[in-house]
Amino acid sequence: MELTTIKQRFGIIGNDESLNCALEIALRVASTDLSVLVTGESGVGKEFFPQIIHANSARKHGNYIAVNCGAIPEGTIDSELFGHEKGAFTGASGIRKGRFELADGGTLFLDEVGELSLLTQAKLLRVLQERCFERLGGTESLSVDVRIITATNRDLARMVEEGTFRRDLYYRLNVFPIHMPPLRERQNDIQPLAAYFVDKYAAAKKYNKQVEIYSDALHLMTAYNWPGNIRELENVMERAVLLVGQDGLILPQHLPRELHSTHCPFGPEAHKGPV
């Protein structure tokens, strides 16, 4: 499948070389059954890669199950991943399948895998090694055929050295690494991304405006390092759409203070025009 088609299907904006390279790697590994570890800062769009890999794999007709490991309380993570039997704990009124069972024959995406405790890491390692597990409170060994894709914004190699992430699990997960570059390394993609978000929110019923970005505002955006990456850019654009006046022009004063440069004059007369 061509990159243009992939981008259209999954709503990926940009044509930076580093982005295209990461997408090509994802397509290459999709035809295999290797474990994939997607790395990158928060907000860069790591969640697209597991979806792309699954959709272009032999498992595409199976379930795609995504789990945010950082959003599940430690006391319930085992039940979420492996399921539980009736009476396994207070409130367990029946059998509940976990994410591994639900993903059998398909793909299981574990986002923010670096948030897992050492105890849960050990249980995850066993599933990867033996392809079987028991539900919480159960004794029956259940076999599963699941492809594991993980993602993290943390430095797992450093965590291994610090003793907070299992070395053996790290090597099991990091068979095929894919790195998603931060937005500051994709400067050519800032303008099309900003335009996309402006169109998205300007067309929303609650705004319903015709909005354009003036060149000096774009200059501020391309000079900014975007620590929050694409997620931050989207928030900034929604805020700007809300703040623009009747002329529908996004000017520097509509952008957050941290984007401002003392060398950039404000006001419509200082701008070269919309972009």
Side-chain angles (χ1 to χ4, degrees):
M1 189 177 293
E2 295 183 355
L3 289 187
T4 301
T5 305
I6 288 290
K7 291 177 183 178
Q8 291 174 345
R9 179 176 176 182
F10 292 93
I12 298 174
I13 308 298
N15 199 38
D16 187 86
E17 183 178 352
S18 61
L19 171 64
N20 290 341
C21 180
L23 291 173
E24 288 173 353
I25 292 173
L27 288 175
R28 194 176 309 159
V29 75
S31 61
T32 75
D33 219 21
L34 297 175
S35 296
V36 177
L37 174 63
V38 185
T39 60
E41 298 175 7
S42 179
V44 295
K46 297 186 294 295
E47 67 279 0
F48 287 117
F49 288 88
Q51 297 175 40
I52 291 170
I53 292 170
H54 175 74
N56 289 275
S57 74
R59 296 175 177 269
K60 62 185 177 182
H61 299 298
N63 287 336
Y64 171 80
I65 305 295
V67 182
N68 186 337
C69 300
I72 302 175
E74 177 60 30
T76 63
I77 186 69
D78 286 356
S79 175
E80 288 290 332
L81 292 180
F82 310 115
H84 61 252
E85 298 283 346
K86 180 179 180 180
F89 51 83
T90 303
S93 57
I95 294 176
R96 181 180 186 274
K97 291 184 178 181
R99 305 301 176 88
F100 270 94
E101 279 187 84
L102 295 175
D104 190 21
T107 303
L108 178 62
F109 170 43
L110 301 178
D111 196 9
E112 302 306 340
V113 69
E115 302 296 327
L116 293 177
S117 69
L118 286 170
L119 180 59
T120 303
Q121 290 175 35
K123 295 178 180 179
L124 175 58
L125 178 64
R126 185 202 168 195
V127 179
L128 294 178
Q129 291 176 330
E130 303 177 11
R131 298 290 178 179
C132 63
F133 64 94
E134 293 86 37
R135 297 192 190 109
L136 190 64
T139 57
E140 180 185 0
S141 184
L142 304 173
S143 298
V144 289
D145 174 23
V146 175
R147 182 182 192 168
I148 300 293
I149 302 177
T150 52
T152 183
N153 60 9
R154 304 181 68 177
D155 187 343
L156 292 189
R158 176 178 294 180
M159 292 179 66
V160 168
E161 296 305 317
E162 294 172 348
T164 56
F165 200 87
R166 293 182 63 108
R167 186 180 300 272
D168 44 9
L169 178 59
Y170 173 68
Y171 289 123
R172 281 278 181 174
L173 299 178
N174 195 35
V175 175
F176 202 102
I178 297 177
H179 181 69
M180 181 62 172
L183 186 56
R184 63 180 172 275
E185 296 178 7
R186 297 170 50 196
Q187 281 197 340
N188 293 335
D189 288 344
I190 292 176
Q191 179 177 345
L193 279 165
Y196 170 79
F197 291 129
V198 165
D199 290 343
K200 172 184 175 180
Y201 289 108
K205 290 183 179 179
K206 60 181 178 180
Y207 299 130
N208 194 23
K209 301 176 179 180
Q210 291 291 326
V211 180
E212 295 179 286
I213 308 172
Y214 257 60
S215 57
D216 280 352
L218 180 63
H219 175 75
L220 294 184
M221 289 189 284
T222 54
Y224 183 56
N225 66 359
W226 298 104
N229 292 293
I230 298 173
R231 188 178 299 129
E232 182 184 9
L233 175 60
E234 179 175 7
N235 292 340
V236 167
M237 290 297 94
E238 183 178 14
R239 176 182 182 271
V241 169
L242 173 64
L243 293 176
V244 294
Q246 292 299 317
D247 58 3
L249 302 178
I250 294 179
L251 305 177
Q253 56 262 41
H254 299 135
L255 302 178
R257 183 182 302 275
E258 56 266 26
L259 273 73
H260 289 178
S261 167
T262 56
H263 301 293
C264 182
F266 295 145
E269 68 281 356
H271 303 279
K272 301 176 183 65
V275 294

